[in-house]
Amino acid sequence: MTEAHGGIRGWAADRRGVWSRLRFTSLRLRLVVVFGLVALTAAVSASGIAYWLNREAVLTRTQDAVLRDFQQEMQNRAGSLPPDPSQDELQHTAGQMSGSSQRFSVLLVAEGSDGKALYGTSGALDSFALRDVPTSLRAAVNKRQKVDSGNKYPYHLYWQRVVQNGTPYLVAGTKVIGGGATGYMLKSLEPEAKDLNSLAWSLGIATGLALIGSALLAQAAATTVLKPVQRLGVAARRLGEGRLDTRLRVSGTDELADLSRTFNHAAEALEKRVDDMAARDEASRRFVADMSHELRTPLTAITAVTEILEEELEAESGSMDPMIEPAVRLVVSETRRLNELVENLMEVTRFDAGTARLVLDDVEVADQITACLDARAWLDAVDLDAERGIHARLDPRRLDVIMANLVGNALKHGGSPVRVAVRESGAKATEDGAGAEVVIAVRDHGPGIPEDVLPHVFDRFYKASASRPRSEGSGLGLSIALENAHIHGGEITAANSPDGGAVFTLRLPQDVSALTEDPEQAEGKQGEPS
């Protein structure tokens, strides 16, 4: 059963590790994305520029060769036609012109002897006719230009790229210099388009390969950079968990190695400082414990004497000298106060040393609080609102200490009447009462607690007025009450009531038996198969 749980935990840890690496907030993924974007931008830019340059070069080279050949054919063959050519002559000349090295289609247009337009085609492309020539191109070809020093010829060669049925073509036209037929040429650019498509595919594949390569490179770089960072994170977590002997292995001379050395120096200094503070704290606790024990012996004798003196004060014989009676009363009260302080110090020492233990018993909460108030003669000064039948398994002595401190503090510093309310919280959550709480609220009707004092009411030896350091009380009562609540697995909170006065709320589990179990036995129970 334990091995199965270990395997499940290991699988869950591996899954969490994978997801942590895939989170967009992880540095690894961000490095890969940034590398990929940089590579993609560079590859796309380079491929786009290369494609554009090669496209222009291929089309320009083909176009120049075709136009040069067409112009030459127009001068040599179309220029030799008579002024009034026949249909056959135009057809024959167009066929000769299309037989050039560039293999383009030719359309010749001339005016016959009867004034009608005659057409002659090479026949290479059945669809090539005058309607296939863009109107703008025909207008430019037939427009007579002004002849001057900057322009020697009235007609020029014009060309245009068009797409028909998804196939790119080059269309050009010109007139024979000196008058004569008008010639048009149609050249398919499909081979060049296929070459450019192949180039585009090649550049796309190169871009994809560059992107994959950049991702692999980013992964390698991220692994190189992040492994030391991950080790540093693990070491920092261990250090935060209290394992102050954690150190990093330092290798190399780069910035990460310097960071590891800095971490090791900081961890070493922290370990030394914590050890020093622990030693001082231990010495301080030992001093308080020793002093408390040493004070108890003479304090016992003093207490016995003060009890005799107190009996003399209360006796009606009048044997006590009236002149020393105030001094005797002061000695009795201060001895009682010193005795309480020593007891509180010993209790605090037990909490600090971790030797405080719970002695559990099943108690009726209302009866227990009533007994606490009755033992201190507070029943007349406290309004108890507690239902009968609220039972809890806890340490009755420690509950008595908590209530004595909370109620005593309310009577001393608050205002009457003091109200103590007891209720159950979550008692019906489960059938066995697990998760149920006993909630006890102690409220007074005084001026309340100043806002700047609220965060410190449970601090040891804290007193709200620094000008009265010798006020009644040791300043340990509320802190001891809080420690007793914590050892039960409970909590005490302090606040001001909207209706006036301070409210101290005690929350205790209704059954704290689990806190007294031996940890090894509890672990053994958890490991038993169900």
Side-chain angles (χ1 to χ4, degrees):
M1 189 74 176
T2 304
E3 293 180 358
H5 283 307
I8 293 174
R9 284 196 298 269
W11 175 81
D14 293 340
R15 185 178 180 183
R16 285 195 300 269
V18 171
W19 278 110
S20 66
R21 288 192 293 270
L22 292 180
R23 288 200 314 268
F24 188 71
T25 55
S26 68
L27 185 57
R28 180 186 300 274
L29 184 56
R30 281 186 285 173
L31 280 174
V32 172
V33 170
V34 169
F35 268 74
L37 289 176
V38 171
L40 181 62
T41 302
V44 168
S45 300
S47 299
I49 294 173
Y51 178 79
W52 182 78
L53 292 176
N54 280 276
R55 178 179 179 276
E56 290 301 315
V58 170
L59 293 179
T60 301
R61 184 172 60 250
T62 303
Q63 175 180 294
D64 291 345
V66 172
L67 293 178
R68 188 169 52 251
D69 197 8
F70 173 65
Q71 191 172 24
Q72 187 68 32
E73 291 293 328
M74 284 293 296
Q75 291 177 359
N76 295 337
R77 298 188 184 275
S80 61
L81 287 172
D84 298 324
S86 64
Q87 179 73 37
D88 294 336
E89 289 176 332
L90 288 177
Q91 193 76 24
H92 178 71
T93 302
Q96 289 180 333
M97 292 175 63
S98 65
S100 68
S101 60
Q102 296 300 323
R103 296 296 179 183
F104 46 74
S105 299
V106 178
L107 171 65
L108 294 178
V109 181
E111 187 176 342
S113 57
D114 56 357
K116 293 183 179 180
L118 300 177
Y119 301 93
T121 62
S122 60
L125 292 176
D126 296 336
S127 61
F128 186 43
L130 190 60
R131 64 177 178 275
D132 299 321
V133 180
T135 305
S136 58
L137 179 63
R138 281 184 281 167
V141 169
N142 294 317
K143 184 177 180 181
R144 184 180 180 86
Q145 304 291 330
K146 184 178 179 180
V147 178
D148 53 21
S149 58
N151 182 29
K152 298 181 179 181
Y153 305 105
Y155 299 101
H156 296 276
L157 173 66
Y158 295 94
W159 59 270
Q160 188 175 341
R161 294 175 191 166
V162 297
V163 177
Q164 295 180 1
N165 299 324
T167 303
Y169 293 95
L170 175 65
V171 181
T174 186
K175 277 181 171 293
V176 176
I177 299 174
T182 301
Y184 296 98
M185 177 272 301
L186 180 67
K187 170 65 176 178
S188 174
L189 299 178
E190 187 175 6
E192 287 74 12
K194 290 182 178 179
D195 292 341
L196 292 175
N197 287 337
S198 299
L199 177 62
W201 274 103
S202 300
L203 293 175
I205 294 173
T207 301
L209 294 176
L211 187 60
I212 295 174
S214 67
L216 296 177
L217 181 61
Q219 176 68 18
T223 302
T224 303
V225 174
L226 293 182
K227 273 189 176 180
V229 176
Q230 290 174 350
R231 288 197 295 266
L232 180 62
V234 172
R237 283 193 295 272
R238 291 179 179 175
L239 196 65
E241 293 170 356
R243 300 170 62 178
L244 302 180
D245 58 342
T246 302
R247 298 293 185 272
L248 288 173
R249 180 174 56 85
V250 180
S251 60
T253 58
D254 56 6
E255 290 80 359
L256 292 174
D258 291 339
L259 181 60
S260 299
R261 292 189 189 93
T262 303
F263 176 86
N264 290 340
H265 293 328
E268 184 178 355
L270 180 62
E271 183 180 17
K272 184 178 179 181
R273 180 65 61 85
V274 170
D275 290 341
D276 292 342
M277 293 178 63
R280 293 179 184 178
D281 188 56
E282 179 63 27
S284 176
R285 286 199 301 267
R286 188 165 54 249
F287 171 77
V288 173
D290 293 342
M291 287 299 298
S292 300
H293 282 287
E294 292 296 329
L295 285 174
R296 293 195 70 179
T297 301
L299 190 59
T300 302
I302 295 174
T303 302
V305 173
T306 55
E307 288 176 353
I308 296 175
L309 292 176
E310 190 173 13
E311 291 175 359
E312 290 292 331
L313 289 174
E314 295 175 355
E316 297 180 355
S317 59
S319 59
M320 181 68 67
D321 189 346
M323 296 295 293
I324 65 173
E325 182 177 343
V328 173
R329 292 187 182 278
L330 179 62
V331 169
V332 171
S333 64
E334 291 298 320
T335 301
R336 187 178 295 113
R337 183 168 177 266
L338 180 60
N339 195 23
E340 181 182 355
L341 176 61
V342 171
E343 291 297 329
N344 287 340
L345 287 175
M346 293 187 67
E347 186 74 2
V348 168
T349 302
R350 282 191 287 270
F351 283 122
D352 290 343
T355 58
R357 294 290 182 268
L358 292 174
V359 180
L360 302 183
D361 194 7
D362 292 321
V363 299
E364 211 278 339
V365 179
D367 291 342
Q368 185 67 28
I369 296 177
T370 302
C372 172
L373 300 177
D374 186 37
R376 294 163 179 82
W378 289 342
L379 284 175
D380 294 336
V382 177
D383 179 16
L384 179 60
D385 178 15
E387 296 181 2
R388 297 291 176 179
I390 301 178
H391 293 272
R393 182 165 181 79
L394 42 76
D395 189 329
R397 183 186 72 83
R398 296 190 182 278
L399 177 61
D400 182 81
V401 172
I402 295 174
M403 295 307 303
N405 280 293
L406 294 181
V407 176
N409 183 77
L411 291 172
K412 186 183 303 180
H413 301 289
S416 297
V418 174
R419 187 172 185 272
V420 178
V422 183
R423 69 178 188 277
E424 287 180 297
S425 175
K428 305 301 182 182
T430 57
E431 294 182 359
D432 58 358
E437 287 183 332
V438 176
V439 181
I440 304 174
V442 180
R443 178 191 171 191
D444 60 53
H445 288 76
I449 305 173
E451 292 298 329
D452 59 331
V453 176
L454 269 176
H456 306 286
V457 292
F458 296 106
D459 293 351
R460 295 178 183 177
F461 301 106
Y462 181 80
K463 296 185 179 181
S465 178
S467 62
R468 295 183 295 146
R470 182 146 175 83
S471 61
E472 186 177 356
S474 62
L476 290 173
L478 291 179
S479 65
I480 290 176
L482 182 63
E483 293 289 352
N484 279 296
H486 285 171
I487 200 174
H488 280 88
E491 186 60 67
I492 302 178
T493 57
N496 288 316
S497 173
D499 299 329
V503 180
F504 286 83
T505 304
L506 168 67
R507 295 179 179 272
L508 294 178
Q510 201 160 1
D511 187 356
V512 297
S513 302
L515 298 178
T516 62
E517 291 184 357
D518 187 359
E520 295 183 358
Q521 293 179 357
E523 185 177 353
K525 290 181 181 180
Q526 292 177 0
E528 293 177 359
S530 57

